[in-house]
Structure formats: C-alpha cells, structure tokens
Amino acid sequence: MKVYKFGGASVKDADGVRNLRSIVSGEQDLFVIVSAMGKTTNALEKVFEGIQRSDTALSLETIASLREYHANIIDNLYHQHHTIEAVEALFDELESLVKAGGYRTEDAEAWYDRTVAYGELVSTLIISDYLNNSGVENKWIDMRKCMMTQQRHKDAGVDLEASTAPLRGAVEGASQRVFIGQGFIGAAPDGTTTTLGREGSDYSAAVVAYILDAESMSVWKDVDGVLNADPKIFPEARKLDELSYLDAIELAYSGAQIIHPKTIKPLQNKNIPLYVRPFGDKRKAGTVIRATANRVNIPILILKRDMVVLNIRPRDFSFVLEERFDEIFSLLAKYRLKCRLINNSAVNLSICIDSSWHLEQAMTALRNDGFDVLHMENMELLTIRGFTGELYNKYAFGDNVILRQATQSTLRIVRKG
C-alpha cells in the first residue's frame, strides 16, 4: 500500500483534478487523502463567522458561492452539466445547519469543526465520482468513521488504537484497490466531527500510512520539493534533496509549511519514508524525509506571521522562573495557546505565541491570578537554522526587532509585522 496526499492547491480546479487522475492512474493498493479544494476552508470559516454573528445572510451567501464554485469544477470535468447528488445533499445539509441556529459560544470549536469539514467531504466526493467515471475504479471512504480522535475540537489528536480496526475494515475485502478519503477530519468518542488543525491532511495521511503499513507516503505540492525558504518571501530559495525525520520535526515546529508537525511521528515509528513531490511533474524526485539523511548544509529560513507577544510580570515581583512558571503555563495550556519562543528575566516573561480565539480569556485569567499582562499583535517570528554571519547582520537588528535568541546553529527573531 502507498499513501498519496493532495492539498487544496493541487485540486483547486478541473485541470488539477485531471492531473491528480494522471498521477494515480495505473496504481494499485493506493490510499489517496485529499484536502478541500482551493480556498474552500477559508470560505467555510466565513460561513462559521456568520454563524457566530447570527448573520445568516452572510453564511448562506458564502455557501451559494461555494456551491457555484464546485459546480463549475464538476461541469468542467465532464465538459457538460453534471450533477453529483451526494455533493448537492451536503450543501443542502450545510444550509440547514445555518438556518437551524442553536450556536453557543462555549461550543465554538465543535461548531467550527462541523462547519469546515464539509470542504473535504465535497472535494473527495467530486474526485471519487470523476475517477470512477474515467476508468479509475475507487472506493470513497468517510474518514469520520475511521479516524477516531480525542474528545477535542479544532486541533484533535488521533487515537491510533481506536482507528486501526475501522480503517482496516474499510479497506480489507474491498473489490477496489484505490481508496479516496478526506484529510483533516475525524470523529470524537461522542460521535461529533473533529478536525486535526489547519494543514492536518498531512497528519491524516501519516496515520493511514501507519495503520495500513504503507511502503511510502507522498505529499504532492505545487513546488519541486522541500525548499530552504518560502520562495514568495525569499526569492533565492533552493530545494533540499533529503531531510531526516528530526530535521523535519524541528522545521515544522518552527512554522515551516512543509508538513504538519504531528505528521512525522507515525511515519518514524514504522520507518516509512515521506516524499514531498511536485504536483506538476511526477517524474521529478522531489525531497525524501527519512530516518537518516545527509546534513543540510545551507541555511533554512522560516517566517511565521500572525503571532502575538505576551509580556507577563507578577504584581508582587516574585521570581517568575522559580515560583510562577507552573501557574503561567498551566493557564496557557488551559486556553490552548501555543508557545513558539520564550524569553525571561527575574521578574518578566516574554512569550511569542500563535494568534488564538482564546487570547483575551487567557490574559484575563492571568490578570486574575496576579499578573500584569501586555500584548503585541501582528508580530512575525523568523527562524534561521544554520545561520551565517551575513544573515545575522541582515536580520537580527532593526527598529522592528522585539526579541532575538541565538544558539550555535539557530537564530530566532521576533519582529513587528
């Protein structure tokens, strides 16, 4: 068994879906994980915004645009008007969800997951239908029945043990030898839909590879492989031929958009190689991530935007490091704030975190616990692994730099966006 994963950019239009067919055509024992098409997840977040604001018109208008976008892709694939009843039923279901109301702020994450999951369901139904009608026989699988997760929404972890039997049961004995499933989504023990975090389709594919003992996993992207920087930000970016699992984990944690941070562990556990390959030309080797790899000998630059810096100080000037860390980080964990960089003095703690819905709640809780809290939004975190003196001088100074940390091999800079 091989596992292929296709992201939203790979299937954003009919030509992308046709290209997917050319890649999977002729394969046997293949499990294909697919994301929502194009920017569909962003649009569904707008639907959810309408639900939150009780703006039914906004939600329904966005759904109508999404329905038209996907209908145009379907018609283009078949070169004529073509209706996929299951897709229409999903959009009808989403409209009913919006009209029914009942949203509660305390259930925000659960409502978010239920809403945005429609993107993957729609995309995989379209692709499965097209493949079956163009000679690639396949079985569509609802991953909400196979990917069992924690009772946690918006960033759930997968329960590998609980997922093994339903996933293997969906594959074993099937007459088809190509399987189409959704990335990003699963189900909690109570049966509600969960999501694995943005870009979580990579994680889904890794779990499938682990459970099905795949010989390899391939992620098909719109670049030639893993680059040492985002070419849209750093035009001099270069391709890396190989990476170790450890390097990949470090890069993902720092914010590199090469792979979801949770992806590597399931693959590492069974020594399954991960290939990052160019969607536009399947003949190219791309980049391989595996247990051992040659040392990366060029700097790697990772820029993570939309960050927040919290400056935390106890009102009684007690020593933060020695006496109050447990309180602070317990509160951050409670409100699911992800720390990316920490800097402290005797009475002051500065933390760079991802932007979050729960930021205000967390700051209120910290203040109620005896801390003064200041925050700065719209920050950037720049990580440079294997930095040179030239890069240090170029990026470590300037009026917009708030924090900088340097080890022997890694430079990290927090700056105003």
Side-chain angles (χ1 to χ4, degrees), residues 82-364:
H82 181 83
T83 299
I84 302 175
E85 295 297 336
V87 170
E88 292 300 312
L90 283 176
F91 280 118
D92 291 344
E93 185 180 296
L94 180 56
E95 287 182 351
S96 296
L97 173 67
V98 169
K99 293 175 181 177
Y103 171 80
R104 300 190 309 168
T105 303
E106 57 267 35
D107 298 327
E109 279 85 4
W111 274 84
Y112 174 91
D113 284 357
R114 187 178 177 187
T115 304
V116 301
Y118 283 93
E120 275 70 19
L121 294 168
V122 168
S123 69
T124 52
L125 281 170
I126 292 172
I127 289 166
S128 178
D129 184 87
Y130 174 70
L131 292 179
N132 274 324
N133 280 283
S134 60
V136 181
E137 186 180 12
N138 71 89
K139 179 181 179 180
W140 182 83
I141 293 178
D142 186 342
M143 297 300 285
R144 295 172 298 178
K145 298 179 180 178
C146 301
M147 196 69 69
M148 304 294 103
T149 75
Q150 307 161 312
Q151 189 62 53
R152 177 184 175 95
H153 291 279
K154 207 167 182 280
D155 185 23
V158 177
D159 185 331
L160 293 173
E161 183 177 354
S163 302
T164 297
L167 182 60
R168 287 182 176 172
V171 170
E172 292 170 356
S175 59
Q176 307 93 334
R177 299 315 304 158
V178 175
F179 305 90
I180 308 294
Q182 309 81 41
F184 182 55
I185 68 174
D190 68 356
T192 55
T193 299
T194 56
T195 64
L196 311 183
R198 289 300 296 262
E199 310 301 328
S201 294
D202 295 338
Y203 181 30
S204 299
V207 170
V208 171
Y210 174 90
I211 291 175
L212 300 182
D213 296 314
E215 64 180 78
S216 66
M217 170 181 157
S218 295
V219 176
W220 298 86
K221 300 178 76 72
D222 56 354
V223 291
D224 285 345
V226 177
L227 307 182
N228 73 320
D230 184 341
K232 297 175 184 176
I233 304 171
F234 306 100
E236 68 278 8
R238 296 159 58 187
K239 185 176 80 72
L240 305 172
D241 292 331
E242 57 182 353
L243 284 169
S244 68
Y245 290 137
L246 180 60
D247 282 337
I249 290 172
E250 290 285 354
L251 296 179
Y253 178 78
S254 297
Q257 298 298 307
I258 56 168
I259 209 76
H260 190 279
K262 296 178 182 177
T263 301
I264 301 300
K265 187 59 178 174
L267 303 176
Q268 183 184 30
N269 286 351
K270 291 192 175 179
N271 200 26
I272 300 169
L274 168 61
Y275 295 90
V276 180
R277 305 174 65 182
F279 181 71
D281 188 349
K282 66 179 183 179
R283 296 169 299 178
K284 292 184 178 180
T287 301
V288 60
I289 300 171
R290 55 193 173 197
T292 58
N294 291 326
R295 182 178 178 180
V296 178
N297 56 12
I298 59 174
I300 297 175
L301 296 86
I302 304 158
L303 183 65
K304 191 169 175 59
R305 294 191 166 112
D306 195 24
M307 306 298 291
V308 175
V309 172
L310 295 182
N311 290 312
I312 304 168
R313 174 178 293 179
R315 295 195 188 101
D316 60 2
F317 288 92
S318 60
F319 289 92
V320 173
L321 181 63
E322 297 178 1
E323 300 180 9
R324 308 297 299 273
F325 266 12
D326 57 341
E327 300 172 48
I328 294 170
F329 286 100
S330 292
L331 282 171
L332 295 179
K334 177 181 178 181
Y335 292 102
R336 299 165 68 168
L337 301 184
K338 295 185 177 180
C339 300
R340 302 297 180 180
L341 180 144
I342 301 169
N343 186 73
N344 70 281
S345 65
V347 295
N348 194 75
L349 177 68
S350 296
I351 306 173
C352 184
I353 62 173
D354 294 346
S355 183
S356 167
W357 294 350
H358 302 295
L359 179 61
E360 290 295 334
Q361 292 172 283
M363 290 194 297
T364 298

Side-chain angles (χ1 to χ4, degrees), residues 12-49:
K12 65 181 179 180
D13 52 28
D15 286 340
V17 176
R18 291 189 187 98
N19 195 41
L20 179 151
R21 184 197 178 282
S22 73
I23 290 173
V24 306
S25 181
E27 294 278 4
Q28 292 292 315
D29 294 318
L30 176 67
F31 202 111
V32 182
I33 290 289
V34 187
S35 301
M37 292 175 159
K39 300 295 184 181
T40 295
T41 300
N42 292 343
L44 287 167
E45 287 178 339
K46 191 174 180 181
V47 173
F48 174 68
E49 179 186 336

